[in-house]
Structures are given as C-alpha cells and as structure tokens.
Amino acid sequence: MQAFVRVVETRSFTKAADTLHMSKTTVTQLVQQLETRLRVKLLNRTTRKVNVTADGAVYYERAVRLLAELDDAETSLSSASAVPRGRLRVDVPSPFARLVLVPALPAFHARYPDIQIDMGVSDRVVDIIGENVDCVVRGGTLLDQSLMARSLGDLQLGAYAAPAYLANHGTPIDPRDLEGTHHRIVGFLWARSGKTYPYVMQRDGEQVEVQGQHAFAFDDGNAYLAAGVAGLGVIWLPTYMAEVHRERGELVPLFADWSFESMPMHVAYPPNRHVSAKLRVFIDWVVELMLGKTL
C-alpha cells in the first residue's frame, strides 16, 4: 500500500523506489501483488508515464487515510507520541537558512533531539511530492494551490547599494533613474522562469515598475547579496537580509520615500499527507521562531 501511494504521488516507479529506498523491481512487484489481491487495475503504465485509474484514485484516497491512521496507532503505543522522532526532509531559501534558520537550530535540537533534519538549501522550486520533501519555506505567492501552508509573515523589501557603487555612479534619487544607461542593477534569476522581473514601487498613489539594466544576474540569494555588497549594482532585499550589512556600512538604503509591496512567506507541505508529530512540531517551531521577527 505504501509503495502504491508513493507511485501515485511521484507518478514514477523509479522516483517512488528512490524515496522508499527500494529497487524499482521491488516496488513494481509490490504494486502488482496489490492489484492481484484486489483484482483491480490501479495504474496505467506506459514507457513514459504512470497514470492512476479511476479505481486507483478511489483506492489512493482510502489508502492515504488508512496509512495515516496506522501511523497514529503505532505512535500512540510508543514513546514517539511524547517525544517526536525520525527524519524530516525540508527545503528552504539559502539566505533564510544562513541568516535565520540554521543559527536557531541548536535550540530546536535541544528541544527535539530525536528528530533528524535533512535540509536542502536553494532558491529553486522544489517538487515537494516528487522529491518526497516534507515541507518547504518559500517567499512569494504560492502558485500550487493544492499545497497546505501556514503564514510566516510578510517580507518587507527595500532597495540598497554599496558605498563603492554610489561613489562610482552617484546616488539615484528616483527609481526611474535606474532605467538609464548610467546605473546598473544586479539581476535575480527567478527559479520558475530563469528570468529577471521588474520591481513595483509606490509613492503617494504613484506606481512605477523598475526593470533596470544588469551586467550580472544570479539565481542564488546569497550570491545576489554578495554582488550587491561588492558594488556590482543596486539590489532589492528583504529587511532581514539587509540589516547586518546596513549596520556595518556595507549597504546604503535608497528611495526612502518610496515603498514596495510586501512579499508573503509561508511554510508549505503536501496535501493528502499525514502530518506526523515530527513535522507538526517543526512547522510549529518555525512559526514560533518567526513571531515578532522583522522580515
């Protein structure tokens, strides 16, 4: 039943085998045995993809609930109900990991020493189900509306430049100054498209979109920040990323009378997936960690 559920969620026998730490042959045999016992075809297989049948879709929904109840039953009879334990796979943006999450992990480990965290640190879009990730932390609007999510607050954005950049290019007064040939921005390549997008700024009912011109663009938040500090161009940052560098004098805020739309931040996890005790306490801890923080 677990093998069948993973094949449905990953749409692949190979991916299901990887996440279950089994061979593809074993997973295939398990699903075949299930179909033989039920006398029902659960999956349609081709050389390129795996699709669930109508009967398989109904059975999948029941199987997910049954497996969740079984997990609850086993947990209630063990010390795991009092002390969450086991492995969690999470994925978070690289700057958030470096500046916020990783420094706080000793406190989490002291509270839950039996939880093992395997953390992916990147700014790419993770296939939560296909890669068998328990949860992700992401900024921006959640495009996959099927995911379950809890809010972590709103990222407050600002424009910044290094003193060396301002010394060489002058201080832009209006955001539209960045559209000229004299100034440069640092481009951020968004994972979903690999393209840079304009930033929207407002002042007294006036709204402008700033695209700017760049000589350098990056798809990683830490590299993007380092480029701004190095004086390669104007950058847009959440408050939590800019704060330390402002205090050190490495970045100077720009356009004080202009504001940006805030960016929502969430911790998201798969639908139709039992929220285990270890995942529940991790999500609660991240939410608790972010309470009162300036993002």
Side-chain angles (χ1 to χ4, degrees), residues 101-113 285 288-289:
L101 209 56
V102 173
L105 282 178
F108 179 83
H109 182 65
R111 191 186 303 181
Y112 304 108
W285 175 76
E288 176 187 324
L289 177 66

Side-chain angles (χ1 to χ4, degrees), residues 83-106:
V83 182
R85 65 181 69 245
R87 176 172 175 253
L88 276 179
R89 293 191 62 194
V90 304
D91 195 272
V92 300
S94 53
F96 184 76
R98 180 174 66 88
L99 297 171
V100 178
L101 209 56
V102 173
L105 282 178

